[in-house]
Amino acid sequence: MTTADDPMHALDLKAEVRRAMASLETPAPYGGSTTSDLSIDEELNLHSIGWEPVELVSGLSVVSVPWGAWNWGQGEISAASEAHEQAFRYAIARLHNDAAAAGGHGVVGVHIARSVHPRHIELALLGTAVRPIGASVVTEHDVFVSDLSARDFTLLMVSGWQPLGLAYGASFVYAPRRSVGAVLQQRSQNVELTNFTEAMYSAREGAMERMQAMALALKGTGVVDVTVIEGPMPFAPHAVEFASWGTVVRRATDVHRRLHPRMVVSLDDPVVLFDARTLS
Amino acid sequence: MSDATNDLPEATGHRLEELEHGLFTSDLSVNEFLLIKEVGFHPVGFVMGSSIYHTGFQTRKWGQSQELTKLTEAMYNARELAMTRMEEEAAELGADGVVGVRLDVNYYEWGKDAAEFIAVGTAVKAEDGVSRLNKLGRPFTSDLSGQDFWTLLQTGYLPQGLVMGTCVYHIAHRGLGQTLSTTGQNVELPNFTQALYEARELAMTRMQDEATRLEASGIVGVRLEEKSHQWGSHTIEFLSLGTAVRQTSSEVTLAKPTTIISLDN
Amino acid sequence: MGNPSGDLPEAVERRFAAGAFSSGLSVPDFAACLDMGFEPIGLVQGFCAMQWGWYTMGGAFRRGFSPYGGAPGDYLENYQCPHGMRSAEHRAWGQNYEQSWIEGAWREGFTSAYSRMLEEAIALGAHGVVGVLDTVGEISDLGVIEFHIRGTAIRVTGAPPSPVTPWTTYLAGQRLTKIFEAGYVPVSIIASVASVRVWASCITEYLLEGLGMSMWAANSGPAEVEQMVSARTAAREIVRAHARQQLDGDALHGVDVLVSEREFERGDMEIQCLLRGNRLRRFKDFDPLPVPQPTVRLS
């Protein structure tokens, strides 16, 4: 807000800049070599609720899918589902480890790079470990991991909610076969292919149930910002994938605090954004 | 090029007359339109200029990096012609300047080695009737959007013209001996570094010379573009473009931005 | 080329002598610059073109006979074949190793271009360079890689020339304003690269692609591919360690990590990590800000 009582804007910017530059002539007076992939907006958001970035952290995993897993069959391809679950579990565990070692209480803005190949599933997580300013180290068990941006994290905290961790679930299934008779019979009709519908339904349900079970295990009351991926595998069109993940949240205060947003009309066109990278 | 004030095709005459009687056309968005009105300008019409140019050919030496001056001249003149014609349309409308200028090059099936250079933009006129023509007595041109135009005027600067410089450069092929002797090493090739340096600097210097002619205090939003057009991969056009600006008042009226956190996706 | 200010091309000096400044800043960034009390003085840039090859140490075929020994201090891991057999199809060993010569060549190219840009900035009497943009790209089909770094040199209006090297940052505009308001001052841009070569062992090949001797594979369920996890983790750790070495007690902000992998032939690949960010120094104590006003756009 542009008000006189706002300490940020009470500053004389030009004087502040000169003071800042003068400090370059002497060695760093304040220690603390932090690294982060947050933007300045995200860092200021974190600061406004008393949190700070600590360290850039990563966790990854590559899990093999056993030979023959995608061959024609029926029901769930449990080897693939299991490999997917393992890849997430190992990668998150390593991220936890990395964050706890750096002194973080949680990891925000986790970027999830995932790819499913015929013989292996790859997962790479990258995010910034954060903590309440100056807070001491917590045990690895208490570190939360979230794919919410620092901005979303701030808004959640301001409203009285806290992230608890990532929940995920995946289910790979074979598309059911139709008998030759059925194919011939259905060729000229507009009918629902009920066995297909059912198979898709149960696969979707399977993935969501796994995610929900994990959320409950984390003692969460909700999952926000859920990403859903579904469709046939490019390398095995008769196999279908359903995968979902999101951040588990729980209310941290007695009541939900309303934000009361202000309405604004923006005169920016979508392409007009502040960005230094204009020189291209 | 600039002394020919009335060589516009006849067909445009009628449209311009209509515009002077109050109707304007523009490719500005509503946001841009309102912001331009906010700083006391009125759009008077959509203007364009075009030039179809035969870019010709110039022999290059296989092993030597050099500027291809004939091609450089052709690329420069063609753009300059298109721009000048657009300025003429704007002057005809009594405009003070043109905003949102886009420069494009089109190649057509029917004309080998010929290219059409087009400049389009929206002509604007100051509502207070005080002339904002540039030092050369011509409407200013700029590639600024309506938002940028508004912001720039808040800082006490006024656009003077879209300035550009170009340099068509041939980068030497490397002799077989040279290639073999450095195989297996990642090493600097000083000749290449020097050639690329030179080509881009030439383009930028030419752009800067244009700004100096306009007695501008500076150029904002400089872009460096590299294109091979239809000459093959060793011949590259380095084009630098920007809007020359002049400080007209030392008063900065830009308000302190409010820090907000948007709940929109 | 190491001799400062002496090797600027003639054209640069002519450009700098001209009266008007040039800047790569957009109008909003330009406005923010004036707000901070900076005046843009010129677009500055530096280049370095390098011959580039993705060769392996000692040539690829040599590795069929004995593992690479590794350079001192570099990451290196060997994976022995547990089956005790050797043939053209079955690899007796696998290896992960850091290609420090590639990292070194990359650093040399980047640093040369960077210091040439700084020379230009110093020649202009700049205090800092804002809105830095770097590109590393191949020049057509020449087997040449060009490092090109550019930015807008600025001077604090009315201040004497600085005794220290100009600071540099990828940021400009309001983002930079907020850096100062948050109590930071930019020091320099930071870029580092890590390159890890993976020569897959028989087990890794089997787990990744199902190739080789399946009857020796002990497990039939999903299993983690240790060699790949190790190589990828190492690449990310090396790149972070390189960056941290350049910090000297300062903070690294707004990091961007790009990971690329290329496979040269079956079972032979390179993992490359590129990290870029802004080195910032805290010049005053942290001063908490109010939570920004939440807004909803009416549209």
Side-chain angles (χ1 to χ4, degrees), chain B residues 49-80:
Chain B
S50 135
S51 158
I52 296 179
Y53 216 86
H54 183 263
T55 47
F57 184 77
Q58 189 173 4
T59 30
R60 303 141 220 190
K61 287 190 184 129
W62 175 269
Q64 194 183 333
S65 294
Q66 57 178 159
E67 183 180 6
L68 305 174
T69 44
K70 276 188 202 158
L71 285 180
T72 301
E73 249 169 65
M75 298 305 282
Y76 183 82
N77 288 343
R79 286 201 186 85
E80 187 66 24

Side-chain angles (χ1 to χ4, degrees), chain B residues 108-126:
Chain B
Y108 295 105
E109 283 289 312
W110 41 262
K112 209 167 161 32
D113 294 328
E116 185 186 17
F117 293 79
I118 310 169
V120 295
T122 296
V124 296
K125 187 171 170 54

Side-chain angles (χ1 to χ4, degrees), chain A residues 127-196:
Chain A
T128 293
V130 295
R131 65 170 173 214
I133 292 165
S136 52
V137 178
V138 292
T139 58
E140 198 181 308
H141 178 74
D142 295 325
V143 174
F144 70 83
V145 168
S146 158
D147 61 344
L148 296 177
S149 65
R151 167 195 168 283
D152 290 347
F153 172 71
T154 306
L155 283 173
L156 266 186
M157 296 287 278
V158 166
S159 321
W161 290 73
Q162 70 180 108
L164 299 167
L166 271 186
Y168 51 90
S171 169
F172 296 81
V173 296
Y174 296 111
R177 263 187 288 195
R178 289 182 295 164
S179 66
V180 180
V183 174
L184 286 176
Q185 203 186 13
Q186 289 164 347
R187 195 166 51 178
S188 58
Q189 295 170 324
N190 297 334
V191 290
E192 181 176 14
L193 305 173
T194 45
N195 49 350
F196 268 87

Side-chain angles (χ1 to χ4, degrees), chain B residues 1 13-14 18-19 35 37-38 66 97 118 130 153 161-162 168-169 179 205 209 213 252:
Chain B
M1 277 156 283
H14 181 61
E18 243 176 32
L19 291 169
L35 285 168
K37 293 294 283 180
E38 199 72 15
Q66 57 178 159
I118 310 169
V130 177
L153 264 67
L162 185 66
V168 181
Y169 213 85
T179 313
T205 308
D209 289 346
R213 272 203 298 282
V252 178

Side-chain angles (χ1 to χ4, degrees), chain B residues 28 45 89 96 135:
Chain B
L28 298 175
E89 278 203 22
D96 287 309
K135 288 285 167 187

Side-chain angles (χ1 to χ4, degrees), chain A residues 1-2 6 8-9 11 13 45 151 154-155 259 261 264 266-270 272 278-280, chain B residues 29-32 34-35 145 147-148 221-225 256-264:
Chain A
M1 296 297 305
T2 316
D6 177 345
M8 184 161 159
H9 289 105
L11 290 174
L13 182 58
N45 272 328
R151 167 195 168 283
T154 306
L155 283 173
L259 285 175
V264 293
S266 168
L267 286 183
D268 290 328
D269 286 320
V272 182
T278 44
L279 254 183
S280 53
Chain B
S29 70
V30 173
N31 290 338
E32 289 180 295
L34 295 177
L35 285 168
S145 67
Q147 286 87 352
D148 285 348
V222 174
R223 298 196 307 279
L224 294 169
E225 288 176 12
K256 278 276 174 219
T258 302
T259 58
I260 60 163
I261 184 162
S262 166
L263 295 182
D264 304 306

Side-chain angles (χ1 to χ4, degrees), chain B:
Chain B
M1 277 156 283
S2 52
D3 52 355
T5 41
N6 221 343
D7 68 349
L8 297 178
E10 235 174 279
T12 56
H14 181 61
R15 184 169 63 90
L16 297 188
E17 231 167 76
E18 243 176 32
L19 291 169
E20 283 167 347
H21 287 100
L23 176 74
F24 71 87
T25 52
S26 92
D27 64 344
L28 298 175
S29 70
V30 173
N31 290 338
E32 289 180 295
F33 170 63
L34 295 177
L35 285 168
I36 282 172
K37 293 294 283 180
E38 199 72 15
V39 283
F41 280 81
H42 184 76
V44 288
F46 185 66
V47 288
M48 64 171 285
S50 135
S51 158
I52 296 179
Y53 216 86
H54 183 263
T55 47
F57 184 77
Q58 189 173 4
T59 30
R60 303 141 220 190
K61 287 190 184 129
W62 175 269
Q64 194 183 333
S65 294
Q66 57 178 159
E67 183 180 6
L68 305 174
T69 44
K70 276 188 202 158
L71 285 180
T72 301
E73 249 169 65
M75 298 305 282
Y76 183 82
N77 288 343
R79 286 201 186 85
E80 187 66 24
L81 266 178
M83 290 270 289
T84 309
R85 288 183 183 143
M86 183 185 69
E87 281 172 23
E88 280 167 19
E89 278 203 22
E92 192 104 344
L93 291 168
D96 287 309
V98 187
V99 297
V101 173
R102 297 191 308 277
L103 275 177
D104 274 322
V105 187
N106 290 336
Y107 293 94
Y108 295 105
E109 283 289 312
W110 41 262
K112 209 167 161 32
D113 294 328
E116 185 186 17
F117 293 79
I118 310 169
V120 295
T122 296
V124 296
K125 187 171 170 54
E127 287 168 343
D128 60 8
V130 177
S131 165
R132 303 292 203 288
L133 299 178
N134 63 24
K135 288 285 167 187
L136 305 177
R138 308 174 61 82
F140 65 80
T141 50
S142 89
D143 59 352
L144 304 180
S145 67
Q147 286 87 352
D148 285 348
F149 186 67
W150 178 83
T151 313
L152 186 68
L153 264 67
Q154 304 295 307
T155 64
Y157 282 80
L158 193 71
Q160 296 299 298
L162 185 66
V163 288
M164 62 188 174
T166 184
C167 175
V168 181
Y169 213 85
H170 173 70
I171 294 174
H173 291 254
R174 303 171 64 216
L176 188 63
Q178 274 173 293
T179 313
L180 284 180
S181 66
T182 54
T183 299
Q185 294 168 50
N186 294 351
V187 290
E188 177 166 12
L189 304 165
N191 294 345
F192 272 73
T193 304
Q194 204 63 28
L196 291 161
Y197 222 132
E198 206 63 46
R200 291 198 184 97
E201 281 298 337
L202 281 171
M204 282 172 55
T205 308
R206 286 169 189 157
M207 173 185 74
Q208 198 120 8
D209 289 346
E210 281 202 356
T212 310
R213 272 203 298 282
L214 289 168
E215 294 177 35
S217 29
I219 310 168
V220 298
V222 174
R223 298 196 307 279
L224 294 169
E225 288 176 12
E226 281 159 36
K227 270 191 198 139
S228 268
H229 297 286
Q230 297 177 323
W231 306 309
S233 62
H234 282 250
T235 302
I236 303 173
E237 183 197 13
F238 296 90
L239 171 68
S240 88
L241 267 177
T243 293
V245 297
R246 194 163 54 85
Q247 194 167 19
T248 51
S249 131
S250 58
E251 191 187 343
V252 178
T253 50
L254 204 58
K256 278 276 174 219
T258 302
T259 58
I260 60 163
I261 184 162
S262 166
L263 295 182
D264 304 306
N265 287 323

Side-chain angles (χ1 to χ4, degrees), chain A residues 38-49:
Chain A
L38 302 177
S39 72
I40 186 65
D41 291 337
E42 291 182 307
E43 193 169 331
L44 286 174
N45 272 328
L46 278 184
H47 276 182
S48 74
I49 54 163

